[in-house]
Amino acid sequence: KSFLNHTAYLSCYFPNSQKTDINDLRVFWQKGGVEVVHEVYYGQEKHDNLSPKYIHRTKMDMDKWTLELLNARIVDEGQYSCIIQHRDKGSPKVIHTSECLLHIIANYSQPEIAQLHAGELKPNEHLNLSCSSSGGYPKPQQMTWLISHENRTRSLTSHMDVSQDAATKLYNVTSKLNIPIPTNTLTNISCLLHLGEQQGSLVSVPLGI
C-alpha cells in the first residue's frame, strides 16, 4: 500500500543467495505483464523500453532489491512483476520472478454534517441533515449515523451517494438523514465513515440538538 503522491516501495524478494554480481544480471519490472516500468541491464539503467508514464519516476535500490515508484498515482494501482535474468554462457536465463499488488490510499476529509433547512427547529417537524466527506480513495464501505441521548446511542445506516472525479479518480460521498426532531432531551448526532478494515473509520464533529 502507498499513499497518493508518495513513494511506493515494491520489493523483488530476491535473496541473491549466490551473491551474483549485478553486472551479470538483467532486472526488469513490468506492470500487468505488458508495460515495462524499470530495467537494469547488466548493472546499467536502461530507458529504451520503458513505458512513457514511468520515465524519471522509478529508482532501483540494488542492495534491497526494491523498486521506488515516485509520486504514486491511482492509475499506478495493479499487479507488478519483477523478473531477474542471469547472463549464462551468453544467453540470459530467468533465475527469479516475483509479483506484488500495489494499492493506493488517499485520505478522506473529516465528515461534516450540514442542516438542509433554515429557520428554527419546531417539535413534530422533521430534521433533514446531510453528511459529506471528500477527496478519498479507495471507495468507502458505508456511512452510519449515530444518534445519542440519555446515555443511549442508536445507529442508522442510510443510502450513501458516491461520486468519482473523472480526472483525479478520488471519491466524494454524501449521506442524508431525515428523523423526527428530538424533544425534551439533548441529542447528539454524529456520522461515521467506514473506510475498510485497514483504514478504520472517520467521525464527524457531533451536532447537538
Side-chain angles (χ1 to χ4, degrees), residues 112-129:
E112 276 189 36
I113 295 178
Q115 296 193 41
L116 299 178
H117 51 80
E120 278 191 47
L121 299 175
K122 295 172 186 170
N124 303 321
E125 290 185 353
H126 272 69
L127 184 63
N128 286 316
L129 302 175

Side-chain angles (χ1 to χ4, degrees), residues 45-190:
E45 290 201 342
K46 191 177 178 187
H47 302 108
D48 305 5
N49 303 319
L50 297 191
S51 170
K53 67 184 182 192
Y54 293 107
I55 292 172
H56 305 308
R57 290 186 57 220
T58 56
K59 287 194 293 188
M60 182 84 185
D61 183 335
M62 300 300 287
D63 294 324
K64 296 178 182 172
W65 300 95
T66 297
L67 182 73
E68 297 177 20
L69 176 59
L70 310 177
N71 193 27
R73 306 164 187 165
I74 289 168
V75 291
D76 293 327
E77 277 199 323
Q79 186 98 19
Y80 288 79
S81 307
C82 169
I83 299 151
I84 299 178
Q85 296 176 333
H86 183 244
R87 183 160 37 190
D88 185 34
K89 295 174 185 165
S91 60
K93 174 182 160 191
V94 174
I95 59 168
H96 179 82
T97 60
S98 69
E99 293 189 339
C100 57
L101 198 56
L102 176 63
H103 295 283
I104 302 298
I105 299 167
N107 287 327
Y108 281 85
S109 63
Q110 183 181 17
E112 276 189 36
I113 295 178
Q115 296 193 41
L116 299 178
H117 51 80
E120 278 191 47
L121 299 175
K122 295 172 186 170
N124 303 321
E125 290 185 353
H126 272 69
L127 184 63
N128 286 316
L129 302 175
S130 76
C131 182
S132 302
S133 175
S134 62
Y137 192 89
K139 188 175 174 180
Q141 293 184 334
Q142 66 180 33
M143 217 172 225
T144 305
W145 291 87
L146 303 175
I147 302 164
S148 305
H149 58 91
E150 294 177 341
N151 297 326
R152 284 184 305 172
T153 300
R154 64 189 174 111
S155 67
L156 295 172
T157 302
S158 63
H159 173 72
M160 181 175 68
D161 289 315
V162 180
S163 63
Q164 188 177 26
D165 186 285
T168 66
K169 305 299 182 192
L170 298 175
Y171 287 102
N172 300 322
V173 293
T174 302
S175 176
K176 290 178 180 169
L177 179 70
N178 182 284
I179 56 168
I181 290 172
T183 55
N184 304 328
T185 174
L186 174 67
T187 300
N188 277 321
I189 301 173
S190 306

